[in-house]
Amino acid sequence: HLPQLAPSTEGDGEARRVALVAASDQGTVAVAEADSAGGKPLVLFWGFRTHFEPQVMPGTDVISGGVAAAEAGDQHVLLVDGQGCLYSFGLGAPVGMPQPEREKW
């Protein structure tokens, strides 16, 4: 397949190149490059039995240094930033956070 462009959700109408993609039986995550203004990368996800169109993944605005790696499980997504910090999204408690304090997507 040819490289695809991820639609911008920032309202600027700028398409972004997809840098990373990860998929599982249940869903997909795509990380698009930062916009031309040097903003943060855009992390989109879909599937996981609830999201049928790409959605911006909530909570990814705290990731600094870009996204170096992405993995998708049946009900979660793991991202590693440029400094090697691990971020967990989805069902279950995120890494290092008590279960009652997690955010659901």
Side-chain angles (χ1 to χ4, degrees):
H1 295 277
L2 297 174
Q4 300 293 311
L5 298 178
S8 173
T9 59
E10 305 303 316
D12 58 12
E14 182 179 348
R16 302 177 187 201
R17 288 202 178 278
V18 174
L20 297 169
V21 172
S24 71
D25 290 344
Q26 300 296 322
T28 303
V29 62
V31 180
E33 296 173 344
D35 62 19
S36 59
K40 294 190 176 199
L42 179 65
V43 181
L44 301 170
F45 72 105
W46 61 97
F48 302 103
R49 299 183 188 180
T50 57
H51 303 286
F52 302 105
E53 295 291 327
Q55 308 284 318
V56 175
M57 185 172 293
T60 56
D61 56 333
V62 300
I63 299 174
S64 60
V67 177
E71 291 293 333
D74 285 346
Q75 298 180 351
H76 66 278
V77 169
L78 298 175
L79 301 174
V80 178
D81 72 10
Q83 289 78 40
C85 295
L86 177 66
Y87 297 84
S88 168
F89 303 87
L91 295 179
V95 176
M97 183 178 289
Q99 188 165 343
E101 296 176 22
R102 73 176 187 247
E103 287 187 35
K104 291 185 179 179
W105 40 305

